Amino acid sequence: MTVLQFYRIANGTIRQTRSSPKAHLACNLQLPASRATFSVSSKAEAKNQVYASVRNLDQFHTYQLLSASARTPLLTLWTTSYCPTCRVVSPLLKELVESGIGEREGGVAYSEVEYDAPDVMTAGLGLTYMINSIPTLLSFDAQEAQVETKVTDGKQLADRRFLEEWIRNEARRQGNRGGGGGSHSIGSIFSGLFGLFGQSK
């Protein structure tokens, strides 16, 4: 762990030193205390967040910004008031997120999107993210929909083990968009891209 220490020198200059003897850096900072210590090592575990249900576009964008700034994926469950499967899946997902699944991998945020809420329908969120089945589980990382890991199969959505692994994979993204620990790799993305060029002859 690297520790930065700041010391006040007589002329008001603050000297910053690292715990390693090679690094010395002088800068002009004004600190109220004569000595302060900061850790620059990353946190061991992030805490999962559960947000209220999305009923309008502003809420949706707010949750996206909050999760992007925390570098945690936003997991969304798209539901309707008339969906019986949603009544099974929703409490299960919420329980898993609240119990800490995915925190070791970086943490997640979770919210339901009420697809049939008037403001959500007017904003066309379902069309924007190609939600054509209810319930749908869709992750957003750095505000980008991760459509390749979208889940619409009712059996998978009711499978506790499947959901635990899906949450862990999504938590591994940590603001890096793709990857997530799944089967998609950069090599497969480029091969698909260049494969398209080869087909266009």
Side-chain angles (χ1 to χ4, degrees):
M1 178 171 79
T2 304
V3 175
L4 299 178
Q5 296 178 327
F6 294 89
Y7 297 96
R8 185 180 299 278
I9 300 174
N11 65 2
T13 302
I14 304 297
R15 178 170 288 292
Q16 173 191 14
T17 60
R18 295 182 189 266
S19 58
S20 67
K22 294 180 180 179
H24 292 286
L25 175 66
C27 56
N28 292 320
L29 296 174
Q30 299 298 322
L31 295 178
S34 61
R35 179 179 175 182
T37 303
F38 300 96
S39 172
V40 293
S41 61
S42 60
K43 290 188 276 186
E45 260 184 34
K47 295 292 178 191
N48 290 344
Q49 297 289 322
V50 177
Y51 300 128
S53 294
V54 170
R55 298 183 57 84
N56 60 58
L57 189 59
D58 288 339
Q59 269 184 309
F60 184 70
H61 287 306
T62 299
Y63 297 162
Q64 280 190 317
L65 289 170
L66 287 171
S67 67
S69 66
R71 295 181 60 89
T72 57
L74 173 63
L75 311 182
T76 58
L77 178 66
W78 296 68
T79 66
T80 60
S81 56
Y82 54 82
C83 166
T85 309
C86 301
R87 294 187 196 111
V88 174
V89 176
S90 172
L92 175 59
L93 261 171
K94 189 174 179 184
E95 177 198 334
L96 291 173
V97 172
E98 287 177 336
S99 72
I101 299 295
E103 287 182 352
R104 286 179 134 179
E105 292 79 11
V108 296
Y110 169 75
S111 179
E112 292 179 22
V113 180
E114 296 182 21
Y115 186 78
D116 58 345
D119 290 341
V120 170
M121 292 185 79
T122 303
L125 279 178
L127 291 173
T128 302
Y129 298 110
M130 298 179 288
I131 305 300
N132 51 20
S133 176
I134 298 294
T136 292
L137 188 56
L138 178 61
S139 173
F140 291 84
D141 192 43
Q143 299 182 330
E144 291 183 10
Q146 304 301 307
V147 293
E148 63 279 342
T149 59
K150 179 168 70 170
V151 183
T152 58
D153 184 288
K155 289 181 181 176
Q156 288 181 326
L157 288 167
D159 183 342
R160 185 182 194 94
R161 280 185 148 173
F162 172 83
L163 290 175
E164 287 176 359
E165 192 55 36
W166 187 87
I167 292 169
R168 287 187 183 106
N169 281 335
E170 293 304 311
R172 289 184 187 106
R173 292 182 190 277
Q174 298 181 358
N176 297 321
R177 293 176 179 90
S183 61
H184 298 286
S185 66
I186 290 177
S188 65
I189 291 169
F190 283 117
S191 65
L193 177 66
F194 292 117
L196 289 175
F197 287 124
Q199 293 173 0
S200 63
K201 290 181 181 178

